[in-house]
Amino acid sequence: MAASRPSEDQEWVTSRIESWVETYKKSMLTPVVLNVVSAHGPAGVADIARHIAASTGWQLTERGLYRTLKRLEDSGLLASIGVDAPRTGAKRKELSLTPLGAAFLDGVRAHLVELSTAEATPELPET
């Protein structure tokens, strides 16, 4: 039995959703990273990546995550310390949320909008 092909409309919707998710990921990565570090910090880069994947399903490139973490550290939202890695003794970076990062995260949380089915179809006033 052959699998049915999606309709043109289904393909269009799927394409638009994928495009929206990629844009959303870029804009939401900062608060997602800060939230992960707030909940699980101090945390190493591998732990942050694992928690992001587990909570969002997003697969991030190592390069993209490192760029984001560096930007957040340079902005004063995250702080890092070097800790000795087990067995090798090499320095590993652990990241923590700074007071500025906590204030920023609180501000983002205060402005998040969650859509529910009821909110998606509001009653309009009669004219």
Side-chain angles (χ1 to χ4, degrees), residues 39-87:
H40 304 286
V45 177
D47 290 333
I48 294 169
R50 185 174 45 80
H51 285 295
I52 290 172
S55 64
T56 66
W58 299 344
Q59 297 304 314
L60 305 172
T61 65
E62 190 175 311
R63 181 179 180 196
L65 181 56
Y66 272 102
R67 266 197 321 250
T68 298
L69 294 172
K70 173 144 179 40
R71 180 177 47 78
L72 295 176
E73 194 174 356
D74 290 348
S75 299
L77 302 176
L78 292 177
S80 69
I81 58 169
V83 296
D84 292 334
R87 295 184 301 270

Side-chain angles (χ1 to χ4, degrees), residues 19-36:
S19 174
W20 180 84
V21 167
E22 286 306 308
T23 300
Y24 172 78
K25 277 172 44 176
K26 289 176 186 168
S27 65
M28 285 301 297
L29 188 55
T30 292
V32 167
V33 166
L34 295 177
N35 192 58
V36 165

Side-chain angles (χ1 to χ4, degrees), residues 100-112:
L100 181 64
F104 180 82
L105 182 58
D106 287 344
V108 169
R109 285 178 177 147
H111 289 88
L112 288 178

